[in-house]
Amino acid sequence: MPLVAVGISVLVLLFLMTRLKLNGFAALLLVAVAVGLVQGIPAAKIPDVLSAGIGDQIGDTMLTIGLGAMVGRVMGDSGAAQRVADRLLDAFGHQRVQIAMVVTAMLLGVTMFYEVAFVIIVPVAFTIVRVSGKNLLWVGLPMSIALSTMHSFLPPHPGPTAVAASFHASVGVTLLYGLFIAVPLGALIALLWPRLPFVRAMNPSIPKGLVSERVFTDEEMPGMAWSLSVALFPVVLIAGAAVTDMAASGSGPLLDAVAFVGAPPIALLLTLLLAAWAFGPRIGRSLSEVAASCASAAQAMAMILLVIGAGGAFKQVLTEGGISGYIKDTAHGWPISPIILAWLIAVILRVALGSATVAVVTASGVVLPLLSGSGVHPEVMVLAVSCGSIAFSHVNDPGFWMFKEYFNLSVVDAIKARTTYTTVLAILGLGGVLVLEAALDALNV
């Protein structure tokens, strides 16, 4: 049974990394090869499958994560990240730093991918930890939870947008309904999870090379206007492109230009150029010092990118092995509510494959024939599928490895922190979707 193979592979991976202390990159590739053979993929084809998985994953993330890390390091080495962190601490106070991170993450996360927003905000989180002396997860976990919620629940992120197109649902209405669920639930879990005893027991250190360890005086740091402008520059570009895409139809030179500069890699590349000038020659630092900051960030990111790429290879083997088709065939015709069915299939696919996008697209294909006669609002069905896709993030999810590596956690601790919060968000999200559908029916909307 394919799902048994998935379960055993996860257990073997945990054993290799926790008991045998095998490097995550090597362990993921080793397990991926074994799963491919068990699932009947021809041995000669497995290297190509692994390469395709690594290529797809690295292609999606390397430019974003690499450029984001360079921008963060340039801001850190110039004192700009400390300037923004100090201002957040002044505005919210040390006791409410988590609220500051949640608000920041939600504002950025509405239109920005999890990975993009993460690499933009995390240098500020690292700096707050270093300046305030607070636990890394106390500051960083609320940020990650808020970003996960925005990315998984709401368009214009890829999964919800693809499902909205399949269900012929309004993207704008889906976003509006989704905000009523995502904001309160995301804020609740973001503020609750770092307070749980098993999370408070973790005290990871900041990964070396991703943030400057120097503490700047007020005179040494660039001004707040420049520091904040550089931090928000990619947000404006990416969010502007997303809003334009939702509001305008067709194509033209202006729309093409907006889409170009709003693509995350281009936006971050332009931001890096701006940061190099603003925090280099403009304040008396040489370009060689800026280049050294970029090189340091690249070295620190090497293993993180390798592990994320190997996670993509593992995911690709599971997909190539036909697990998504097996689940789709098995679930077809289950006699339960379309909303619960949509959510449940997305959850099962997420657990089996790791990819939230694959989970929502496949789940939508199963549920689509039931939608026309169910009476369920299509926008509500989009949210049901989307919130199911966030559940049980674990070792076959490349985002899990990004979370683990940036927060310098063991595999077990990453499962305790991330797998639990994603699962609770999915369950509470289902409850919110059911309440929303009942409210819409009561109001005859």
Side-chain angles (χ1 to χ4, degrees), residues 11-12 17 47 55-56 62 102 119 145 149 162 170 192 214 249 289 294 299 320 344 362 365 378 389 398 410 419:
L11 293 177
V12 171
M17 294 188 65
D56 288 346
M62 184 180 71
V102 170
V119 297
I145 292 172
T149 308
S170 166
L192 172 64
R214 177 183 173 187
S249 59
E289 290 178 290
C294 293
Q299 292 171 0
E320 192 75 19
L344 185 59
T362 306
S389 72
S410 68
T419 307

Side-chain angles (χ1 to χ4, degrees), residues 361-385:
V361 171
T362 306
S364 66
V366 176
V367 179
L368 182 59
L370 305 176
L371 182 60
S372 59
S374 67
V376 178
H377 293 76
E379 292 79 13
V380 174
M381 192 70 84
V382 172
L383 295 174
V385 175

Side-chain angles (χ1 to χ4, degrees), residues 122-143:
V122 78
V124 177
F126 286 162
T127 305
I128 290 175
V129 169
R130 183 170 51 76
V131 171
S132 67
K134 292 186 178 295
N135 183 298
L136 176 56
L137 289 182
W138 185 261
V139 178
L141 189 55
M143 173 201 77

